[in-house]
Amino acid sequence: MSDIWLNKINWSDDGLVQVVAQEANSKKVLMVAWMNREALKLTVETSEAHYWSRSRKKLWHKGEESGHVQKVKEIHLDCDEDVLLLAVEQVGGISCHTGRHNCFFNKFENGQWVVDAPVIKSPGEIYKK
C-alpha cells in the first residue's frame, strides 16, 4: 500500500498527531495519546494500536507489557485533519497504566478532583518489570 494517505493528516511541527482511543461498543473515551507516521502505519498494518511516547521518545505497541492491547476497528480523521479517533476493542478491559478501565478517572466535583473509577487490577500485578 502506498503511503500517500498519510499526507492528508496535518502533522504537528514535531511530526505527531493527537489520537483519541474510544471503546467501540460503549463509546467511552479510554485515553488520549500521540502517533507519528510510523505508529499510524503499524496500527493500520497490524490492526492493533501503536503510539509514540513523547516522554520515552519511542514507539510503543499498546499492551506490549500488560497484554491489554487495543484492537482497532475503525480509524477516523477529524474535520481539521489534525486529530485521529480510534474505535477500539480494549482487550482485558484495562486501558490505563493505573489499572483502571480508562484514563479519565479524575472528576472535578465541588471545587476538587475526585477519583471516580476503581482500580481493576493493581499496576504491580500488570507490570512485572
Side-chain angles (χ1 to χ4, degrees):
M1 169 182 352
S2 166
D3 292 348
I4 293 174
W5 60 275
L6 290 164
N7 296 334
K8 185 166 177 72
I9 297 168
N10 286 327
W11 301 95
S12 67
D13 291 342
D14 53 358
L16 301 175
V17 64
Q18 199 162 34
V19 183
V20 176
Q22 180 184 48
E23 197 166 39
N25 290 335
S26 72
K27 306 298 185 208
K28 188 168 194 107
V29 174
L30 299 174
M31 57 179 275
V32 175
W34 297 89
M35 285 184 177
N36 62 8
R37 291 172 80 95
E38 186 178 359
L40 182 53
K41 282 172 56 174
L42 282 168
T43 296
V44 168
E45 289 169 8
T46 65
S47 296
E48 290 188 355
H50 290 75
Y51 298 106
W52 175 258
S53 171
R54 294 185 306 161
S55 60
R56 294 178 287 177
K57 307 253 187 279
K58 69 174 201 157
L59 283 172
W60 58 284
H61 176 201
K62 177 68 176 153
E64 65 191 17
E65 292 179 30
S66 66
H68 301 139
V69 298
Q70 292 176 340
K71 295 184 183 257
V72 178
K73 304 301 181 186
E74 296 178 350
I75 302 174
H76 296 266
L77 181 61
D78 80 325
C79 59
D80 293 325
E81 301 172 347
D82 63 358
V83 177
L84 294 173
L85 174 66
L86 301 185
V88 302
E89 173 193 336
Q90 181 61 62
V91 174
I94 297 172
S95 67
C96 186
H97 72 281
T98 66
R100 291 178 174 86
H101 177 65
N102 66 71
C103 296
F104 295 94
F105 57 85
N106 290 297
K107 180 180 178 183
F108 190 69
E109 198 172 84
N110 299 321
Q112 61 185 347
W113 294 103
V114 179
V115 174
D116 75 345
V119 171
I120 297 168
K121 192 172 188 181
S122 81
E125 292 177 73
I126 296 170
Y127 304 101
K128 305 295 183 196
K129 288 184 178 178

